[in-house]
Amino acid sequence: MSFDVPEGLHYRESHEWIDPETGRVGITDFAQDELGDVVFVELPNEGDALDADAEFGVIESIKAVSDLYAPVSGEVTAVNEALFDAPELVNDDPFGEGWMLELDLDEGDLEDLLTAEEYADQIA
Amino acid sequence: MTLRKPPLREVHAERGAKFTEFGGWDMPVEFDSIRTEHTAVREAAGIFDVSHMGEIEVAGPDATTLMQRLTSNDVTELAVGDAQYAAITREDGVMIDDTVVYRLPDESTADGDGDDADDANTVPAYLFIPNAGHDTETHDRWVDHRDEWDLDCEVRNVTEDWAMFAVQGPEAPDLVADAVDADGPDVRDLSRFSATFAPFAGAECWVARTGYTGEDGFEILCPWEAAEDVWALFADDAAPCGLGARDTLRMEKGFLLSGQDFHPEDEPRTPYEADIGFVVDLDTEFVGRDALAEQAETGVEETFVGIELLDRGVPRHGYDVTDENGHVVGVVTSGTMSPTLDKPIALGYLPVGFTDPGTEVNVVVRAREKRAKVVTVPFE
């Protein structure tokens, strides 16, 4: 099975992605497939400060619970509240409608993250 | 530890199934999506490979006595082709396992020498289904007690002789009936909890109108080597389902999962506490009978109930249940987001003062109390 790994995004080994242009964060196509049917997402509040590598929320599928980790440090500038009523968006469109939050990237360091190519190798 | 593999392990893998360890077996947990598989069973039909379930055969002049003494229900009620749900209990009444007992056609003890009187001898035979990973210990328990009580019967662990498939859902009766070979019986005539031999793909199978999803359906035991041919009869018409959907389906109906909702060490429970008192027949003599007779007299302190979360969140095995003052009063033994009802549901044990439907409790999800209420099962 092959999974989408869009170019231009940065990836964390634990399967989160971040868009360097918008600061948007989500989980990858591979991760949503591993989890199966997503039924619940717990996210931080707008204005919360996140540290890189710290847990920022929880995602639950029918069969499993997983922690979510911040790819970089930064302040939460937006949260995708649509996921509270429609968590299945994470399965349907993990890089689009299923995004989770946006970070103010001023203090974020993207250098430690994986490129699309490196991440694709990790899940191969 | 090397995992035991069902006969169709590779067939499932080629179809893209994800696997999980269950009771020492490497079993498909999900083929497509748990939600899709779950819905297929509720609305149409699904097929589960449950070859990890154990199979033990008991046959001989004292087979009925042995079965009677080691299961909680009354096996003498079973005519050939009948099935019965029962508990296997310890001396203290605690459940070791739950099982379905089938009465097989009597076995002939004929020696084939043409002597009519001799050849007419038959002995009763039973087949029963311990849960995954329990086949060896159950076989040993039966053999030990047979020897201790000096009974005359054979106990055979045939777990790896029989593959087992569950075809479940409203379309299952027609699907299974159509899959039987032309010279076989019409299995639509089987009533709930009855079984018969029928040929599928040329192989003689034991087909029973039983299952654990709450839907109409059948369980088919087929010879291990015929598994692929029998499975193929359903591959186009029934959705292949994994243990994930099996778990959500049984939870919606409030059915127990052995080893999780009860376990002799981790969650020791009697059939009365587990709300399956109907499997206990105190008029029979079985291991655990006296303890259960006493509990029937005094009553239980805790019982198995359904709990519905009112706040957002997903209840899981091991989460605490608290009262309005935050005191822990119980624990969730099974929980999930119900795919059919689209709400969080849980099963667990609560003290009798908390078991009335509508009683308000909390489930502690990651250190936060979520509002919940006690409900009757099946969940609606």
Side-chain angles (χ1 to χ4, degrees):
Chain A
M1 191 177 270
S2 69
F3 297 100
D4 277 351
V5 185
E7 292 290 334
L9 304 180
H10 294 267
Y11 298 87
R12 200 173 184 280
E13 280 179 11
S14 57
H15 312 290
E16 292 84 4
W17 56 262
I18 182 165
D19 183 335
E21 302 293 322
T22 59
R24 245 179 207 191
V25 174
I27 67 163
T28 64
D29 187 28
F30 172 83
Q32 69 77 22
D33 183 75
E34 283 289 298
L35 280 166
D37 306 281
V38 173
V39 292
F40 183 71
V41 181
E42 205 171 270
L43 297 173
N45 296 315
E46 223 176 287
D48 285 357
L50 302 185
D51 289 329
D53 303 328
E55 288 169 26
F56 73 73
V58 171
I59 184 165
E60 300 204 35
S61 66
I62 290 176
K63 66 182 178 193
V65 187
S66 291
D67 292 323
L68 296 162
Y69 296 93
V72 297
S73 300
E75 186 186 311
V76 178
T77 54
V79 171
N80 186 3
E81 291 179 4
L83 297 184
F84 298 143
D85 289 321
E88 64 276 10
L89 289 172
V90 177
N91 293 119
D92 298 342
D93 192 9
F95 298 108
E97 295 290 304
W99 67 279
M100 292 174 178
L101 47 82
E102 286 176 0
L103 290 176
D104 172 0
L105 277 175
D106 286 352
E107 46 190 306
D109 184 359
L110 298 166
E111 288 300 304
D112 293 338
L113 298 169
L114 304 176
T115 63
E117 193 181 349
E118 288 165 339
Y119 180 71
D121 283 347
Q122 182 194 307
I123 61 172
Chain B
M1 190 178 82
T2 309
L3 292 179
R4 298 164 80 179
K5 290 182 171 34
L8 299 186
R9 171 68 176 72
E10 296 316 312
V11 174
H12 301 327
E14 280 167 23
R15 213 191 162 284
K18 294 193 177 91
F19 290 82
T20 189
E21 186 274 333
F22 195 87
W25 291 73
D26 194 22
M27 298 303 294
V29 63
E30 185 177 17
F31 283 85
D32 182 4
S33 114
I34 291 174
R35 189 184 292 278
T36 308
E37 295 162 25
H38 181 109
T39 305
V41 172
R42 288 277 181 255
E43 296 179 355
I47 181 167
F48 302 79
D49 184 349
V50 286
S51 297
H52 60 319
M53 301 294 282
E55 286 92 17
I56 310 283
E57 286 176 6
V58 183
D62 295 329
T64 303
T65 305
L66 185 63
M67 292 302 299
Q68 191 75 316
R69 288 190 183 185
L70 289 173
T71 61
S72 64
N73 219 328
D74 184 4
V75 292
T76 64
E77 289 177 349
L78 297 177
V80 169
D82 284 348
Q84 183 184 65
Y85 186 40
I88 300 169
T89 44
R90 301 192 303 217
E91 202 65 59
D92 62 0
V94 163
M95 287 193 286
I96 299 168
D97 205 355
D98 59 352
T99 188
V100 171
V101 179
Y102 298 102
R103 176 87 190 260
L104 294 171
D106 291 352
E107 282 190 9
S108 170
T109 57
D111 56 14
D113 65 0
D115 176 334
D116 286 348
D118 189 26
D119 286 354
N121 283 344
T122 57
V123 294
Y126 298 87
L127 168 72
F128 71 100
I129 315 288
N131 279 281
H134 292 191
D135 58 310
T136 305
E137 67 183 55
T138 306
H139 172 264
D140 293 348
R141 180 177 181 81
W142 255 246
V143 168
D144 290 347
H145 282 91
R146 176 198 65 189
D147 294 347
E148 187 185 325
W149 295 323
D150 200 21
L151 297 174
D152 181 8
C153 60
E154 216 184 313
V155 180
R156 302 183 285 256
N157 184 353
V158 290
T159 298
E160 292 182 20
D161 294 349
W162 293 106
M164 186 168 171
F165 305 138
V167 186
Q168 305 277 295
E171 292 176 6
D174 287 340
L175 281 182
V176 176
D178 290 348
V180 175
D181 293 352
D183 58 340
D186 187 343
V187 297
R188 277 173 291 230
D189 295 339
L190 285 174
S191 55
R192 181 96 182 122
F193 271 74
S194 62
T196 186
F197 277 108
F200 289 82
E204 194 70 350
C205 299
W206 180 248
V207 54
R209 202 154 195 168
T210 52
Y212 215 58
T213 61
E215 297 299 322
D216 196 359
F218 294 80
E219 291 177 303
I220 302 168
L221 289 103
C222 72
W224 195 264
E225 57 279 5
E228 198 163 342
D229 292 339
V230 175
W231 178 270
L233 295 172
F234 299 96
D236 294 335
D237 302 310
C241 300
L243 296 186
R246 189 172 163 83
D247 202 37
T248 53
L249 288 158
R250 68 96 193 165
M251 268 190 255
E252 285 182 346
K253 297 297 173 185
F255 297 160
L256 298 162
L257 179 61
S258 174
Q260 185 169 303
D261 296 310
F262 66 91
H263 182 285
E265 281 86 44
D266 301 339
E267 191 67 54
R269 296 294 178 180
T270 68
Y272 292 127
E273 290 168 336
D275 203 23
I276 55 165
F278 61 92
V279 305
V280 178
D281 189 330
L282 294 174
D283 293 332
T284 66
E285 283 301 326
F286 62 93
V287 173
R289 187 247 165 227
D290 293 348
L292 290 172
E294 194 182 320
Q295 195 174 51
E297 194 79 17
T298 57
V300 295
E301 291 177 6
E302 296 187 336
T303 44
F304 196 60
V305 295
I307 299 168
E308 186 185 315
L309 251 65
L310 304 172
D311 287 336
R312 290 179 193 275
V314 186
R316 305 276 182 184
H317 176 80
Y319 287 7
D320 284 336
V321 180
T322 58
D323 64 12
E324 57 185 1
N325 300 316
H327 295 130
V328 175
V329 291
V331 69
V332 170
T333 53
S334 287
T336 192
M337 182 70 77
S338 159
T340 306
L341 306 167
D342 207 26
K343 58 189 181 189
I345 59 171
L347 297 167
Y349 295 87
L350 289 178
V352 287
F354 289 85
T355 53
D356 287 342
T359 304
E360 291 179 13
V361 290
N362 304 294
V363 175
V364 184
V365 178
R366 289 183 289 281
R368 260 181 265 168
E369 287 188 321
K370 306 271 185 176
R371 288 182 310 122
K373 67 173 180 184
V374 174
V375 297
T376 51
V377 292
F379 291 94
E380 298 179 331

Short mmCIF file of all heavy atoms in Angstrom, two decimals, chain B residues 275-305:
data_model
loop_
_atom_site.label_atom_id
_atom_site.label_comp_id
_atom_site.label_asym_id
_atom_site.label_seq_id
_atom_site.Cartn_x
_atom_site.Cartn_y
_atom_site.Cartn_z
N ASP B 275 -23.94 -10.90 35.13
CA ASP B 275 -25.29 -10.78 34.59
C ASP B 275 -25.61 -11.86 33.54
O ASP B 275 -26.36 -11.64 32.60
CB ASP B 275 -25.51 -9.37 33.99
CG ASP B 275 -26.99 -9.01 33.94
OD1 ASP B 275 -27.77 -9.60 34.72
OD2 ASP B 275 -27.37 -8.16 33.11
N ILE B 276 -25.01 -13.04 33.73
CA ILE B 276 -25.41 -14.17 32.89
C ILE B 276 -25.86 -15.33 33.79
O ILE B 276 -25.54 -16.50 33.55
CB ILE B 276 -24.30 -14.62 31.90
CG1 ILE B 276 -22.99 -14.95 32.63
CG2 ILE B 276 -24.08 -13.60 30.81
CD1 ILE B 276 -22.00 -15.74 31.76
N GLY B 277 -26.64 -14.96 34.81
CA GLY B 277 -27.16 -15.98 35.73
C GLY B 277 -27.98 -17.06 35.03
O GLY B 277 -28.12 -18.17 35.54
N PHE B 278 -28.49 -16.74 33.83
CA PHE B 278 -29.29 -17.73 33.09
C PHE B 278 -28.48 -18.94 32.63
O PHE B 278 -29.05 -19.95 32.23
CB PHE B 278 -29.99 -17.08 31.89
CG PHE B 278 -29.03 -16.49 30.87
CD1 PHE B 278 -28.59 -17.24 29.80
CD2 PHE B 278 -28.59 -15.18 30.99
CE1 PHE B 278 -27.71 -16.70 28.86
CE2 PHE B 278 -27.71 -14.64 30.07
CZ PHE B 278 -27.28 -15.40 29.00
N VAL B 279 -27.15 -18.86 32.71
CA VAL B 279 -26.34 -20.04 32.33
C VAL B 279 -26.07 -20.94 33.53
O VAL B 279 -25.40 -21.97 33.39
CB VAL B 279 -24.99 -19.66 31.68
CG1 VAL B 279 -25.19 -18.76 30.49
CG2 VAL B 279 -24.01 -19.06 32.69
N VAL B 280 -26.57 -20.55 34.70
CA VAL B 280 -26.33 -21.35 35.90
C VAL B 280 -27.58 -22.18 36.22
O VAL B 280 -28.66 -21.62 36.42
CB VAL B 280 -26.02 -20.44 37.12
CG1 VAL B 280 -25.81 -21.29 38.38
CG2 VAL B 280 -24.79 -19.59 36.83
N ASP B 281 -27.43 -23.48 36.25
CA ASP B 281 -28.53 -24.35 36.67
C ASP B 281 -28.13 -25.01 37.98
O ASP B 281 -27.34 -25.96 38.00
CB ASP B 281 -28.82 -25.40 35.59
CG ASP B 281 -30.10 -26.16 35.91
OD1 ASP B 281 -30.42 -26.31 37.12
OD2 ASP B 281 -30.77 -26.60 34.97
N LEU B 282 -28.67 -24.47 39.08
CA LEU B 282 -28.28 -24.96 40.41
C LEU B 282 -28.82 -26.36 40.70
O LEU B 282 -28.45 -26.97 41.71
CB LEU B 282 -28.76 -23.97 41.48
CG LEU B 282 -28.09 -22.59 41.46
CD1 LEU B 282 -28.75 -21.66 42.47
CD2 LEU B 282 -26.59 -22.70 41.74
N ASP B 283 -29.70 -26.86 39.84
CA ASP B 283 -30.20 -28.24 40.02
C ASP B 283 -29.21 -29.27 39.50
O ASP B 283 -29.47 -30.47 39.58
CB ASP B 283 -31.55 -28.41 39.32
CG ASP B 283 -32.63 -27.58 40.00
OD1 ASP B 283 -32.49 -27.33 41.22
OD2 ASP B 283 -33.56 -27.15 39.31
N THR B 284 -28.12 -28.81 38.91
CA THR B 284 -27.11 -29.75 38.44
C THR B 284 -25.90 -29.66 39.37
O THR B 284 -25.69 -28.66 40.05
CB THR B 284 -26.65 -29.43 36.99
OG1 THR B 284 -25.98 -28.17 36.98
CG2 THR B 284 -27.86 -29.39 36.05
N GLU B 285 -25.10 -30.72 39.37
CA GLU B 285 -23.89 -30.75 40.21
C GLU B 285 -22.69 -30.37 39.36
O GLU B 285 -22.34 -31.08 38.43
CB GLU B 285 -23.67 -32.15 40.78
CG GLU B 285 -24.59 -32.49 41.94
CD GLU B 285 -24.44 -31.54 43.13
OE1 GLU B 285 -23.32 -31.06 43.38
OE2 GLU B 285 -25.47 -31.24 43.78
N PHE B 286 -22.10 -29.23 39.63
CA PHE B 286 -20.92 -28.84 38.87
C PHE B 286 -19.94 -28.11 39.79
O PHE B 286 -20.33 -27.60 40.85
CB PHE B 286 -21.30 -27.97 37.67
CG PHE B 286 -21.96 -26.67 38.04
CD1 PHE B 286 -21.21 -25.50 38.19
CD2 PHE B 286 -23.33 -26.59 38.23
CE1 PHE B 286 -21.81 -24.30 38.53
CE2 PHE B 286 -23.95 -25.39 38.57
CZ PHE B 286 -23.19 -24.25 38.72
N VAL B 287 -18.71 -28.06 39.37
CA VAL B 287 -17.68 -27.37 40.13
C VAL B 287 -18.07 -25.90 40.26
O VAL B 287 -18.27 -25.22 39.25
CB VAL B 287 -16.30 -27.49 39.43
CG1 VAL B 287 -15.26 -26.63 40.15
CG2 VAL B 287 -15.85 -28.94 39.38
N GLY B 288 -18.21 -25.43 41.46
CA GLY B 288 -18.62 -24.05 41.70
C GLY B 288 -20.08 -23.91 42.08
O GLY B 288 -20.53 -22.83 42.47
N ARG B 289 -20.83 -25.00 42.00
CA ARG B 289 -22.27 -24.95 42.23
C ARG B 289 -22.62 -24.44 43.64
O ARG B 289 -23.50 -23.58 43.79
CB ARG B 289 -22.88 -26.34 42.00
CG ARG B 289 -24.39 -26.38 42.06
CD ARG B 289 -24.87 -27.19 43.26
NE ARG B 289 -26.28 -26.93 43.51
CZ ARG B 289 -26.78 -26.66 44.71
NH1 ARG B 289 -25.99 -26.60 45.76
NH2 ARG B 289 -28.06 -26.42 44.86
N ASP B 290 -21.90 -24.95 44.65
CA ASP B 290 -22.27 -24.59 46.03
C ASP B 290 -22.01 -23.11 46.30
O ASP B 290 -22.82 -22.43 46.94
CB ASP B 290 -21.51 -25.46 47.03
CG ASP B 290 -21.95 -26.93 46.95
OD1 ASP B 290 -22.99 -27.18 46.29
OD2 ASP B 290 -21.26 -27.79 47.50
N ALA B 291 -20.90 -22.62 45.78
CA ALA B 291 -20.59 -21.19 45.97
C ALA B 291 -21.65 -20.33 45.28
O ALA B 291 -22.07 -19.30 45.81
CB ALA B 291 -19.20 -20.88 45.41
N LEU B 292 -22.07 -20.77 44.12
CA LEU B 292 -23.07 -19.99 43.38
C LEU B 292 -24.44 -20.08 44.03
O LEU B 292 -25.21 -19.11 44.01
CB LEU B 292 -23.11 -20.44 41.91
CG LEU B 292 -21.86 -20.06 41.12
CD1 LEU B 292 -21.87 -20.69 39.73
CD2 LEU B 292 -21.73 -18.54 41.00
N ALA B 293 -24.75 -21.24 44.62
CA ALA B 293 -26.03 -21.37 45.33
C ALA B 293 -26.07 -20.38 46.49
O ALA B 293 -27.09 -19.73 46.75
CB ALA B 293 -26.20 -22.80 45.82
N GLU B 294 -24.93 -20.24 47.16
CA GLU B 294 -24.86 -19.30 48.28
C GLU B 294 -25.02 -17.86 47.79
O GLU B 294 -25.75 -17.06 48.39
CB GLU B 294 -23.51 -19.47 48.99
CG GLU B 294 -23.46 -18.80 50.34
CD GLU B 294 -22.10 -18.95 50.98
OE1 GLU B 294 -21.49 -20.05 50.87
OE2 GLU B 294 -21.63 -17.97 51.58
N GLN B 295 -24.37 -17.55 46.65
CA GLN B 295 -24.49 -16.19 46.12
C GLN B 295 -25.92 -15.91 45.62
O GLN B 295 -26.41 -14.79 45.74
CB GLN B 295 -23.49 -15.95 44.99
CG GLN B 295 -23.32 -14.48 44.67
CD GLN B 295 -22.23 -14.22 43.66
OE1 GLN B 295 -22.18 -14.82 42.59
NE2 GLN B 295 -21.32 -13.31 44.00
N ALA B 296 -26.57 -16.95 45.10
CA ALA B 296 -27.96 -16.78 44.65
C ALA B 296 -28.84 -16.43 45.84
O ALA B 296 -29.80 -15.66 45.73
CB ALA B 296 -28.45 -18.05 43.97
N GLU B 297 -28.46 -16.96 47.00
CA GLU B 297 -29.21 -16.71 48.23
C GLU B 297 -28.93 -15.31 48.79
O GLU B 297 -29.86 -14.57 49.11
CB GLU B 297 -28.76 -17.77 49.26
CG GLU B 297 -29.64 -17.89 50.47
CD GLU B 297 -30.90 -18.70 50.18
OE1 GLU B 297 -30.93 -19.43 49.16
OE2 GLU B 297 -31.83 -18.59 50.97
N THR B 298 -27.66 -14.96 48.86
CA THR B 298 -27.28 -13.70 49.52
C THR B 298 -27.34 -12.51 48.57
O THR B 298 -27.44 -11.36 49.02
CB THR B 298 -25.85 -13.78 50.09
OG1 THR B 298 -24.96 -14.10 49.01
CG2 THR B 298 -25.73 -14.85 51.15
N GLY B 299 -27.24 -12.77 47.28
CA GLY B 299 -27.22 -11.67 46.31
C GLY B 299 -25.80 -11.20 46.04
O GLY B 299 -24.88 -11.52 46.78
N VAL B 300 -25.65 -10.43 44.99
CA VAL B 300 -24.32 -9.95 44.61
C VAL B 300 -24.12 -8.53 45.11
O VAL B 300 -25.07 -7.80 45.36
CB VAL B 300 -24.14 -9.97 43.06
CG1 VAL B 300 -24.17 -11.39 42.54
CG2 VAL B 300 -25.20 -9.11 42.38
N GLU B 301 -22.85 -8.14 45.25
CA GLU B 301 -22.57 -6.77 45.67
C GLU B 301 -22.36 -5.84 44.48
O GLU B 301 -22.56 -4.64 44.56
CB GLU B 301 -21.31 -6.76 46.56
CG GLU B 301 -21.56 -7.43 47.90
CD GLU B 301 -20.31 -7.49 48.76
OE1 GLU B 301 -19.28 -6.91 48.36
OE2 GLU B 301 -20.38 -8.12 49.83
N GLU B 302 -21.92 -6.44 43.37
CA GLU B 302 -21.69 -5.64 42.17
C GLU B 302 -22.24 -6.39 40.97
O GLU B 302 -22.24 -7.62 40.96
CB GLU B 302 -20.18 -5.42 41.95
CG GLU B 302 -19.52 -4.62 43.05
CD GLU B 302 -18.08 -4.27 42.73
OE1 GLU B 302 -17.47 -4.97 41.91
OE2 GLU B 302 -17.59 -3.27 43.29
N THR B 303 -22.68 -5.65 39.96
CA THR B 303 -23.12 -6.31 38.71
C THR B 303 -22.62 -5.56 37.49
O THR B 303 -22.26 -4.39 37.55
CB THR B 303 -24.66 -6.42 38.58
OG1 THR B 303 -25.23 -5.20 38.97
CG2 THR B 303 -25.20 -7.56 39.36
N PHE B 304 -22.66 -6.28 36.40
CA PHE B 304 -22.21 -5.81 35.09
C PHE B 304 -23.30 -4.93 34.49
O PHE B 304 -24.45 -5.34 34.40
CB PHE B 304 -21.99 -7.05 34.22
CG PHE B 304 -21.19 -6.83 32.98
CD1 PHE B 304 -19.89 -6.38 33.05
CD2 PHE B 304 -21.73 -7.14 31.73
CE1 PHE B 304 -19.13 -6.22 31.90
CE2 PHE B 304 -20.97 -6.99 30.58
CZ PHE B 304 -19.67 -6.52 30.66
N VAL B 305 -22.90 -3.71 34.11
CA VAL B 305 -23.89 -2.77 33.57
C VAL B 305 -23.36 -2.08 32.32
O VAL B 305 -22.17 -2.14 32.02
CB VAL B 305 -24.23 -1.66 34.59
CG1 VAL B 305 -24.91 -2.23 35.82
CG2 VAL B 305 -22.98 -0.87 34.97
#
